[in-house]
Every structure is written in structure tokens, then in C-alpha cells.
Amino acid sequence: MNSIEQNIKFVNQKIQNKCSQVGRNYSEITLVAVSKLHSVEEIEIVNSTGILNFGENKAQELEEKNKIINKKINWHFIGHLQTNKVKNVVPIAEFIHSVDSIKLADEINKRAENINKIQKILLEVKTSDEATKYGIENFYDLQKIAEYSKRLSNVYLVGLMTIAPYTNDEEIIRNSFRKLSEFKNKLNQNGFELPHLSMGMTNDFEIAIEEGATILRIGTAIFGERNYSIK
């Protein structure tokens, strides 16, 4: 068993243990292996263990990898998405996690309609004060964009996404995830039927499970450290 396979076994065990602790079903959790800046060879090793869901942050990298990999993969686009890159992402991505405006939802709908596709999306919510984070900043705007997205014919809104602050303070992380969970509950009380909360990464996925995450986006704990010198 190589190190990546050992990592996956370890991560899955931690997910199972945490689900058992908090009375959740392991089958509720989708593990997305975040493969940005990792090679096609590494992706294929992960895929060979049964993981089908992979996350990419950049449209160009997603396109390049999708052309090479000839295996069943569900691509998740999880990075900030500019409207001019939507045309590159929609034909490939099963889920787009980072929708944060009506303009972006409109463009996704238009591109999906062109290829007769129903595009699954999540709305990205900014649940912290960090200036570097993207996302919708309050519930009023979130509800407005959610209601707009619901009316689009080629977009299927399935949940919310957030990125917690990078900190060792578990309470700050927990509050970020809890805020997203509360927003989802409020939307569902208002007639939405959103199944998914995309939250939790290598450093905080166990807290995310405690707070209701259904999609975990885990990179480093699976692939190891990224080589950021690769462009």
C-alpha cells in the first residue's frame, strides 16, 4: 500500500469514527479529493481506491486534467469562478461550489442551456471576516440569489459552501460552520430543499462533520503537501 492509499484509509477511518461519535451515517458524507496542483498519476491512484469525486480550483487545470484522464470522475469546481471561465467549466463539472452572484448564476444557466445540461450548484457564503475569502456576506443576499437560482431552468441549487478561517481556534471554525448550517436550515424552512453543506477541509473536517457537513473537500490529508512552484 503506497502513502496515498494509506492516507485515504486514515482519512476514511477518521470520518467513520466522527460519524459514529455524533450519531451520523457515514453514507451521508461525500469525500471530494482536492487535486489542484497534483498530477494525473496521483489522481488515478486515488481514483483506483474507489474515490470518484475530485475538486479543482482553476478552470484551465480542470480542462487539462479532464482531457487526459479516461476514467469515471465526478469533477467539483471549488475555486473562485469568473464569468468568462464558465464556458470552460460547465461542460466538465458535476458540481460548481462557488456561486456567489446572480450574474454568475445567470452565466452558468446560459452555458448549461447551450449544451442541454442541468448544472448542480452550491452558493458560496462568506462566514468569516477574512478579507481574502469570497462569498455572499449576509442572509438577505443569500436568499435573494437562492430564489433567483431556483427559477433558472438549467441550474439545480443543491446546497451551500463555505471556507472556515485558517486558525487553531476551534470555536471560530465551529461558528463559521454553524452559521452555514443555520443559513441552510432557514432557507429550507422557506421552501428550499437543499441537501448539501460543503464545508470542512484537511485541518477542520471533523468539526465540519459535527456541524452537519455532507461534502468534505480534503486535499493535503490525501495527496500530501502541494508543490506551489507548479503553475
Side-chain angles (χ1 to χ4, degrees), residues 159-172:
L160 307 178
M161 182 269 255
T162 199
I163 303 170
Y166 192 79
T167 174
N168 292 322
D169 189 327
E170 287 193 7
E171 205 52 40
I172 290 174

Side-chain angles (χ1 to χ4, degrees), residues 89-185:
V89 171
V90 166
I92 301 169
E94 183 81 9
F95 293 84
I96 298 174
H97 289 233
S98 46
V99 179
D100 59 2
S101 69
I102 284 173
K103 182 183 176 186
L104 183 56
D106 249 343
E107 183 66 17
I108 291 169
N109 184 68
K110 184 176 84 174
R111 295 295 176 176
E113 190 174 20
N114 287 347
I115 58 170
N116 197 29
K117 178 184 183 182
I118 304 297
Q119 178 67 60
K120 298 187 193 84
I121 67 165
L122 295 92
L123 299 181
E124 182 173 7
V125 180
K126 185 177 177 183
T127 54
S128 72
D129 296 328
E130 288 188 312
T132 55
K133 296 283 193 295
Y134 293 99
I136 302 156
E137 297 194 17
N138 58 71
F139 184 76
Y140 174 80
D141 288 340
L142 175 64
Q143 185 163 18
K144 194 164 66 173
I145 296 170
E147 285 172 349
Y148 187 85
S149 299
K150 198 175 179 182
R151 294 195 297 270
L152 295 172
S153 58
N154 288 74
V155 159
Y156 178 31
L157 177 60
V158 298
L160 307 178
M161 182 269 255
T162 199
I163 303 170
Y166 192 79
T167 174
N168 292 322
D169 189 327
E170 287 193 7
E171 205 52 40
I172 290 174
I173 294 168
R174 190 176 302 281
N175 286 340
S176 174
F177 294 152
R178 193 165 285 170
K179 182 175 182 180
L180 194 73
S181 183
E182 287 170 356
F183 278 3
K184 187 189 94 161
N185 291 341

